[in-house]
Amino acid sequence: MFENHKAHIPTEYGSTYLQFKQSVMNLLNIYELDAVSYDEAALILMEIEHTSLYSEEESDCFDAYFKLIWLQLRYSGIAYRKVKLRKLLRDFGYKRRSEKLTSRIQQAIDKLELKTYLRGYVPCSIDAISLEDVIVIRLGEGSML
């Protein structure tokens, strides 16, 4: 889409493929939120409008997804985010999980010092839980960007 319709894409969504991809991922992350979370995310993104959260190496969509969660947990007063593992994978276009995929997700989580739990505050690892399990994502002790 970017290559074939570049002339029709507004410049605020990026002049390079990486910027375009990150803009689209930010919008997708925001649109999946409920009304209250959407308003909070919009305020956070307005506050950081002039600060780039992404470097060229961070072209992976998991980084953008978990950075938005990190921002919500850090600045909005939300204590945790819940997501079913199957839904998380489906949102990124995956039907099954591989070792490489779970490793990439875990890398993005670890990079931001987020912690994953099952219900009842039981620590978990993405590769060791059922696809039907609900993951609770919280800030880690020293979670700073």
Side-chain angles (χ1 to χ4, degrees):
M1 184 172 138
F2 182 79
E3 292 301 321
N4 294 334
H5 303 286
K6 189 175 181 178
H8 303 289
I9 297 172
T11 55
E12 67 261 18
Y13 295 111
S15 57
T16 67
Y17 175 72
L18 178 59
Q19 291 171 331
F20 174 71
K21 182 178 172 183
Q22 290 170 343
S23 295
V24 169
M25 285 309 301
N26 282 341
L27 291 172
L28 288 174
N29 287 334
I30 289 172
Y31 292 140
E32 78 172 13
L33 304 174
D34 61 33
V36 172
S37 298
Y38 176 86
D39 291 341
E40 291 171 350
L43 288 173
I44 290 167
L45 290 173
M46 281 177 34
E47 287 180 18
I48 60 169
E49 184 178 52
H50 301 292
T51 305
S52 175
L53 291 178
Y54 309 99
S55 65
E56 292 297 321
E57 304 86 51
E58 294 177 330
S59 61
D60 193 299
C61 54
F62 295 117
D63 287 334
Y65 179 84
F66 288 107
K67 278 185 181 178
L68 182 59
I69 289 175
W70 183 91
L71 287 167
Q72 290 173 327
L73 296 175
R74 181 90 176 132
Y75 296 109
S76 72
I78 297 172
Y80 60 90
R81 282 284 308 270
K82 294 188 299 189
V83 64
K84 189 180 274 193
L85 181 56
R86 182 178 303 281
K87 181 182 179 343
L88 175 67
L89 296 178
R90 190 179 322 133
D91 287 347
F92 289 104
Y94 296 96
K95 292 183 182 180
R96 295 186 178 93
R97 62 180 161 182
S98 65
E99 186 177 322
K100 183 178 179 181
L101 175 62
T102 55
S103 172
R104 187 60 201 110
I105 293 172
Q106 195 62 52
Q107 251 183 339
I109 290 169
D110 292 345
K111 186 183 209 178
L112 295 166
E113 297 183 27
L114 294 170
K115 300 296 179 197
T116 54
Y117 301 92
L118 296 175
R119 291 186 177 157
Y121 223 85
V122 177
C124 70
S125 176
I126 302 295
D127 60 350
I129 62 174
S130 163
L131 289 174
E132 298 305 317
D133 282 332
V134 174
I135 306 165
V136 179
I137 303 168
R138 297 179 179 269
L139 288 175
E141 291 288 322
S143 188
M144 297 295 273
L145 225 157

